[in-house]
Each structure stands twice: as C-alpha cells, then as structure tokens.
Amino acid sequence: KAGVTQTPRYLIKTRGQQVTLSCSPISGHRSVSWYQQTPGQGLQFLFEYFSETQRNKGNFPGRFSGRQFSNSRSEMNVSTLELGDSALYLCASSQGLAEETQYFGPGTRLLVL
Amino acid sequence: GQQLNQSPQSMFIQEGEDVSMNCTSSSIFNTWLWYKQDPGEGPVLLIALYKAGELTSNGRLTAQFGITRKDSFLNISASIPSDVGIYFCAGQKVSNYQLIWGAGTKLIIKP
C-alpha cells in the first residue's frame, strides 16, 4: 500500500497570502488529521476529518480551515498568513476507528516571509 | 491544547547506553502509541499498546501500557547512532478518537 502523501513538500509565501495544502491518505483510510509543528515543538492538533465531516477540532483561529473529499483526500487552507504560521504541517490518516493508529505523511514545510 | 506530560525533554547519552522515557496523564486512555520523528520528516509509529499492563517489544524497543491506564514508558536498549531523533507518545481517549500528544523527547547520542 502506498503511504500518506502530502503536496507540496515545501512552500514559501508572504504575509497576507493564503495557502492550500493537500493530503492523500492511505487507501481505505477514512480519517485524516492535520497537525502543526513548529521548530522544537510537539504536534499541535488542528482538526480531523472523517467521511467528509469535521469530527474534531483543535484550538486554532478560523484562518485555518479544512475539508475532505469523497475519496478521503483532504485539503487544509490557511488564509491571511502570518509569520508565526511558518511550520511543518503534517497530516495523518487512519481508518477512523477506536484503538487505531495514525500514519503520517512527510509533511509540508511552510515558510512565511 | 491538552498534552501529555512527557519526560525527559531531551537526553544526551553515550552510544550503547539504555534509554528510558515516559508519559503521564491525569486522564485514562485506551490506547498508547509511541512515534519517532527524524528531522524534516513525519513521525513514524514504533509501538502501539492497547491493553493496561501490556508490554510490547519491537527489536531493541520495549514499551508498556501502565496498569492505571494513565501512563506509558518506552525503553531503548543498547542505543545506536540511528536512534537519534524526537520520540513522541500519544494517547487515545475512547470518547472522541482524538489523539493527545506528548511534547516529545529529543534523543542525542554523544560520539
């Protein structure tokens, strides 16, 4: 099975712009979770989508949004970028059931100038 | 957001030494997971634990699900240079399937 893929791998934007990141989960997985990781920090949970519905949400401002398509692929959008949004954005997929592990993609590294 | 208490924050060890790290929480979890992250990459699952008291090994790695369901530890025996990285614990609550993450333990091996 192919693993979780994320595109693009690297991105440079300027303040005020918006960005869309994409995640393709492992085939058969219906849950996609998004995380933000800043240098030296742990994983900060953004949101989780399961069967095209947002099931869980972290404590991020409304500038961070996401969606999931019928094929389970997910996109994350950040509007009005700020310097502090520079981070590694990770997505993880799972079947979405209890007692289930998440499998991570390689991440998208976003730099906001 | 809510996090698990993971310690130590970082470790400087000699090659060949054993390593131990742990995570604790005030909440009960049904699943404990341990991941390793190499620089610039996503975390990779090392060990998954599903039952209180469970002790599971993966090569030189051993992890245990605490009997109270509020803690877990990870041991690495006879460390080697490729063990460097950041190790994360994560616990899953049964109520909402969400994973709660520790802040990570950075492992550095002195030459």
Side-chain angles (χ1 to χ4, degrees), chain A residues 45-95:
Chain A
F45 174 71
L46 282 153
F47 30 66
E48 182 220 0
Y49 285 86
F50 177 76
S51 292
E52 301 180 65
T53 301
Q54 189 180 86
R55 187 164 67 171
N56 285 299
K57 189 177 186 304
N59 298 320
F60 276 79
R63 299 185 298 109
F64 292 82
S65 63
R67 58 177 175 168
Q68 187 178 35
F69 302 95
S70 58
N71 62 357
S72 294
R73 189 177 70 85
S74 177
E75 288 182 347
M76 190 194 90
N77 186 274
V78 188
S79 63
T80 320
L81 283 165
E82 301 176 0
L83 295 180
D85 296 333
S86 295
L88 180 67
Y89 290 88
L90 294 160
C91 93
S93 80
S94 71
Q95 291 183 24

Side-chain angles (χ1 to χ4, degrees), chain B residues 27-43:
Chain B
S27 302
I28 290 174
F29 293 104
N30 276 13
T31 302
W32 282 95
L33 307 170
W34 285 92
Y35 288 82
K36 182 194 176 200
Q37 185 178 29
D38 291 325
E41 298 295 328

Side-chain angles (χ1 to χ4, degrees), chain A residues 3-4 26 31 33 36 54 60 62 71 86 88 95-96 108 111:
Chain A
V4 179
I26 291 171
S31 169
S33 296
Q36 182 196 65
Q54 189 180 86
F60 276 79
N71 62 357
S86 295
L88 180 67
Q95 291 183 24
T108 293
L111 177 61

